[in-house]
Amino acid sequence: MKLSQSLLKNILESAIFASPSPLSVEELLSLFADEEKPTRQQIQTLIKELQNDYATRPLEVVEVASGYRFQVRAKFSPWISKMWQDKPPKLSRAMLETLAIIAYRQPVTRAEIEAIRGVVVSTQIIKALFDRDWIVVVGHREVPGRPALLATTREFLDAFSLKGLADLPPLAALRDLDTIEAELATTNRVEKE
Amino acid sequence: MKLSQSLLKNILESAIFASPSPLSVEELLSLFADEEKPTRQQIQTLIKELQNDYATRPLEVVEVASGYRFQVRAKFSPWISKMWQDKPPKLSRAMLETLAIIAYRQPVTRAEIEAIRGVVVSTQIIKALFDRDWIVVVGHREVPGRPALLATTREFLDAFSLKGLADLPPLAALRDLDTIEAELATTNRVEKE
Amino acid sequence: MTELVIDTPDDVLLDSQQALARVYDEFITQVPEDLYIPPDALAVFLEAFEGPLDLLLYLIRKQNLDILDIPIAEITRQYISYIELMQELNIDLAAEYLLMAALLAEIKSRLLLPKPKNPEAEEEDPRAELIRRLQEYERFKKAAEDLGDLPQEGRDIFLTHVEPPVRELLATEPFVGDFSLLLEAMRDVLQRAQLQKSHIIAEEGLSLEQRFREVLARLASGETVIFYELFTVKEGRIGVVVTFMAILELLKQKMIELVQESVFAPIYVREYRELA
């Protein structure tokens, strides 16, 4: 069944809005089932139309290397930027915990972080930490798979106003990790969800 | 200098779009310098207007616990969901039950959850809930062991599109014990081995 | 929940007259008729339940009974048959299921006791507590279903992602935060580790490589450390040995150096400094 032009345009618009990263024409095509799939040409025409529709709006559809995305027009930046000025970007709990474990346990593999946190560490988190230059790969653990060993960087220390790793508050102040692990080992039992 | 209504509306619209999390009226107010600051009333009126403007668009402005956000209308979900290779993991019954007990009974300890469910609450579940930022420790019950008191967060409400705890589906009423006892007395004679 | 197959293929079941299970000193040679579920399905069946209360609710609801109106003897018999059967088939059974079986048996026996004539000594109906728990559990079971039906972000609801306006400041704006954030996160990890008794962590040996980094990190800011401060007594002999080996190796690689002002003066360790 062919979709109407207006439905098609609405789908493209929603998809570009919903995607966390820019969408290419290929990716847009992949949203449609075979029988409803538009042509590349159609998609490009509709995106042009969208760009016109948004000409008078505070957002614009821009094309970047990896595809199309919506962006707030530069003229609003004096107000929008206040959102980032007043408060530092909020780091997610999962990210902070991952970072804390790397800081205290470095060098450490992803699997080890997961063992401590008890949940899978998402690739996004690791990537975000790399993106901020807060962590680096310092080697590989010599076990099957040679997993990367992660450690924190000087940029990490700067971001958290630390002079050196020695400035990290001793974990003992919280409670010694090893003691806890020992306790855990003894109370360790199989549990299933 | 007072800003024109249309500029004001454009700023609000861009801000809600650009923010990674929902924006409250307070947060929207904080974007403006003192001399240009609109009233809360003005902001609320403009957001109502925005909601009307979007009535025929594929997006909508909705209010959740932590403020206003844009979201794609449900009718486009069939296409949008194709962008993600794997569906988000379905919440298990165990997780939903645990979450429900925390949501309706907060603050609550893990032991109290276990008492209601009649089974041990797996560590995985509690961790997964923490990891999604859906629950937090809000204190400790002053009993031996000082167990952590768990409560739900704004992020939990946002994730389920709720404005507040009052929006949770109503919990079924409990028939009180006196009634139960009375009824038991009458049904007792039916009991036979 | 899917309705279970309750067919009874007798030939499959009774290839011998061997007892399948023992319930109250009574050998069951036949699987209770309305209960029969193929062994494979039984494991699946058990997984379908969130615990003994859930299983009990299922048994009650299956017979269209009101919670307030449970025929304890009958339900107990059914429940215990399931449990015995599962044990017989070596299906892993959580302790809670057994506890419930014991509780049911106790309630049943109390109901069978003659009622005291003296009405003042009236006891609470032994079923009351169980009914209260069943009712309470059922409310939350329903609440969980309701919660699951709400539109969920990422499943039914998709949020928009719009790039903030271009602005040089945004790109260069550094993260400002202090360490208390991290510390808090770590405290939470530890707190949860305490909360969670069943956390499994593989014993991690002391690695020389890791110790290298620790020693270097300690000296990274250029500070000079008294030799013994590099050792952690708590780690025991092995820890001390590993640290010592690390120091020796780092010395050999000219990454650190030892300084001693005079004989018997304290030994200091610092990063290796190239002499000008």
Side-chain angles (χ1 to χ4, degrees):
Chain A
M1 192 199 78
K2 282 272 169 262
L3 304 175
S4 76
Q5 286 293 97
S6 69
L7 176 55
L8 214 50
K9 193 155 100 177
N10 279 341
I11 294 171
L12 297 180
E13 184 179 352
S14 322
I16 300 173
F17 265 121
S19 170
S21 53
L23 281 182
S24 64
V25 174
E26 283 318 315
E27 286 166 318
L28 287 166
L29 274 170
S30 71
L31 304 181
F32 300 94
D34 285 345
E35 65 279 12
E36 57 184 30
K37 212 184 274 298
T39 64
R40 299 176 58 93
Q41 185 57 52
Q42 257 181 304
I43 288 190
Q44 272 155 344
T45 311
L46 287 170
I47 288 178
K48 280 253 153 53
E49 275 186 37
L50 263 183
Q51 283 172 324
N52 286 334
D53 298 345
Y54 274 86
T56 58
R57 320 281 355 257
L59 308 183
E60 56 189 330
V61 189
V62 294
E63 187 177 2
V64 294
S66 50
Y68 297 95
R69 73 171 178 216
F70 277 99
Q71 179 157 1
V72 175
R73 289 182 191 276
K75 77 181 267 208
F76 299 102
S77 95
W79 293 278
I80 307 302
S81 58
K82 290 234 182 67
M83 281 199 284
W84 282 273
Q85 250 165 27
D86 291 351
K87 50 183 180 195
K90 196 178 165 244
L91 301 180
S92 74
R93 162 188 285 272
M95 193 193 259
L96 278 171
E97 287 185 6
T98 305
L99 191 55
I101 292 167
I102 299 174
Y104 279 101
R105 273 299 177 88
Q106 55 191 299
V108 69
T109 67
R110 190 155 152 180
E112 288 157 1
I113 300 169
E114 290 177 349
I116 293 173
R117 295 194 60 228
V119 277
V120 170
V121 173
S122 87
T123 301
Q124 275 162 353
I125 288 178
I126 298 288
K127 191 177 167 303
L129 293 175
F130 272 115
D131 280 351
R132 286 182 177 271
D133 285 330
W134 285 350
I135 61 170
V136 280
V137 172
V138 292
H140 294 270
R141 177 110 39 242
E142 290 308 332
V143 294
R146 302 191 71 248
L149 285 165
L150 307 173
T152 55
T153 60
R154 189 147 281 286
E155 285 77 8
F156 157 74
L157 295 175
D158 292 346
F160 287 91
S161 316
L162 296 167
K163 270 183 272 171
L165 282 176
D167 272 5
L168 282 180
L171 268 188
L174 298 170
R175 193 144 178 268
D176 191 72
L177 194 59
D178 293 321
T179 320
I180 290 172
E181 288 190 18
E183 274 177 32
L184 290 172
T186 59
T187 56
N188 171 1
R189 74 201 143 106
V190 184
E191 208 173 85
K192 63 174 185 154
E193 180 171 333
Chain B
M1 193 200 77
K2 282 272 171 259
L3 305 175
S4 75
Q5 286 293 98
S6 69
L7 176 55
L8 213 50
K9 194 157 97 178
N10 279 341
I11 294 170
L12 297 180
E13 184 179 352
S14 328
I16 299 173
F17 266 125
S19 169
S21 53
L23 284 181
S24 65
V25 174
E26 285 316 317
E27 286 166 319
L28 287 167
L29 275 172
S30 72
L31 303 181
F32 300 93
D34 285 345
E35 65 279 12
E36 58 183 29
K37 214 182 269 300
T39 63
R40 298 176 58 92
Q41 185 60 51
Q42 259 180 303
I43 288 191
Q44 272 156 342
T45 311
L46 287 169
I47 288 177
K48 280 251 155 56
E49 278 185 33
L50 262 182
Q51 285 172 323
N52 285 333
D53 298 347
Y54 274 86
T56 57
R57 322 276 359 254
L59 308 182
E60 58 189 329
V61 189
V62 295
E63 186 181 0
V64 292
S66 41
Y68 297 95
R69 71 178 180 204
F70 276 99
Q71 61 190 42
V72 175
R73 287 187 190 275
K75 79 181 266 207
F76 301 103
S77 301
W79 291 278
I80 306 303
S81 58
K82 293 221 189 82
M83 280 198 281
W84 287 272
Q85 220 109 73
D86 14 60
K87 294 257 173 292
K90 196 166 172 285
L91 300 178
S92 68
R93 265 186 68 197
M95 194 185 211
L96 281 169
E97 284 185 11
T98 305
L99 189 58
I101 294 168
I102 299 173
Y104 287 92
R105 275 296 169 81
Q106 56 192 304
V108 70
T109 67
R110 190 158 157 175
E112 288 157 3
I113 300 168
E114 292 177 347
I116 293 175
R117 297 193 57 225
V119 281
V120 170
V121 172
S122 99
T123 296
Q124 284 293 327
I125 289 178
I126 298 284
K127 261 187 209 146
L129 292 175
F130 270 114
D131 220 47
R132 287 171 182 258
D133 280 332
W134 284 354
I135 62 169
V136 279
V137 172
V138 292
H140 295 270
R141 177 115 30 244
E142 290 306 332
V143 294
R146 301 190 72 249
L149 284 166
L150 307 173
T152 55
T153 61
R154 260 169 198 283
E155 285 80 0
F156 156 71
L157 294 171
D158 290 349
F160 287 86
S161 298
L162 299 167
K163 276 187 237 177
L165 285 173
D167 275 1
L168 282 171
L171 193 58
L174 255 192
R175 280 173 285 179
D176 74 289
L177 269 186
D178 289 345
T179 330
I180 296 175
E181 293 250 27
E183 288 189 40
L184 283 176
T186 62
T187 58
N188 219 1
R189 56 199 150 71
V190 191
E191 187 78 39
K192 58 175 195 287
E193 170 61 320
Chain C
M1 199 171 310
T2 48
E3 190 52 46
L4 293 145
V5 187
I6 310 189
D7 288 347
T8 313
D10 288 15
D11 49 344
V12 176
L13 273 178
L14 302 170
D15 53 354
S16 76
Q17 283 300 97
Q18 246 187 320
L20 272 169
R22 207 176 79 166
V23 182
Y24 292 110
D25 295 330
E26 196 181 308
F27 288 92
I28 295 186
T29 50
Q30 231 172 330
V31 176
E33 229 177 81
D34 84 316
L35 289 183
Y36 178 69
I37 303 160
D40 286 352
L42 207 52
V44 177
F45 174 75
L46 187 63
E47 269 167 29
F49 293 102
E50 286 300 325
L53 289 172
D54 200 17
L55 172 55
L56 217 44
L57 265 182
Y58 168 77
L59 295 177
I60 292 164
R61 293 297 180 212
K62 199 178 68 158
Q63 296 171 55
N64 280 322
L65 295 173
D66 190 282
I67 298 182
L68 300 186
D69 201 18
I70 326 173
I72 275 288
E74 181 54 30
I75 289 294
T76 302
R77 184 164 41 236
Q78 290 194 10
Y79 182 92
I80 289 175
S81 309
Y82 272 115
I83 300 308
E84 295 282 357
L85 199 58
M86 291 189 240
Q87 284 186 304
E88 199 61 31
L89 295 167
N90 285 324
I91 292 170
D92 259 344
L93 211 51
E96 293 97 347
Y97 283 93
L98 303 176
L99 204 64
M100 178 60 73
L103 178 71
L104 285 170
E106 194 216 322
I107 294 174
K108 196 179 84 169
S109 59
R110 279 176 61 195
L111 281 171
L112 292 176
L113 289 177
K115 289 251 174 216
K117 289 209 180 93
N118 182 359
E120 281 158 39
E122 202 187 332
E123 271 182 69
E124 194 192 46
D125 188 297
R127 289 173 296 177
E129 171 63 13
L130 178 66
I131 289 171
R132 193 194 58 74
R133 286 182 62 192
L134 277 169
Q135 239 199 323
E136 183 80 339
Y137 173 70
E138 194 177 37
R139 298 168 83 197
F140 284 103
K141 184 180 163 173
K142 176 69 173 49
E145 284 165 16
D146 292 345
L147 207 54
D149 288 341
L150 287 178
Q152 263 167 52
E153 220 178 273
R155 187 190 69 180
D156 317 289
I157 288 189
F158 297 96
L159 305 184
T160 58
H161 298 264
V162 170
E163 194 69 12
V166 195
R167 192 180 69 113
E168 302 87 276
L169 244 174
L170 276 183
T172 53
E173 219 156 355
F175 167 82
V176 262
D178 63 67
F179 195 74
S180 64
L181 268 178
L182 264 194
L183 198 59
E184 237 164 66
M186 200 61 188
R187 183 178 292 128
D188 285 345
V189 175
L190 296 185
Q191 213 164 37
R192 261 159 39 214
Q194 275 170 275
L195 198 79
Q196 297 144 4
K197 290 156 268 181
S198 60
H199 195 127
I200 300 162
I201 295 176
E203 180 89 10
E204 209 177 87
L206 289 166
S207 102
L208 193 57
E209 189 184 0
Q210 182 172 337
R211 194 46 51 95
F212 285 169
R213 291 196 55 87
E214 286 166 359
V215 170
L216 285 176
R218 186 74 197 275
L219 306 172
S221 55
E223 73 171 306
T224 303
V225 173
I226 298 182
F227 181 69
Y228 67 74
E229 284 182 348
L230 291 173
F231 296 89
T232 313
V233 178
K234 251 187 324 182
E235 287 176 341
R237 271 172 60 105
I238 306 251
V240 173
V241 169
V242 170
T243 305
F244 192 59
M245 281 167 60
I247 292 173
L248 292 180
E249 185 61 30
L250 290 170
L251 274 173
K252 201 172 103 188
Q253 293 178 18
K254 292 206 167 160
M255 295 181 80
I256 61 171
E257 57 186 355
L258 300 183
V259 186
Q260 193 177 28
E261 299 289 348
S262 58
V263 186
F264 300 126
I267 300 170
Y268 289 94
V269 187
R270 66 181 187 205
E271 268 183 314
Y272 185 75
R273 292 170 196 171
E274 201 88 59
L275 287 175

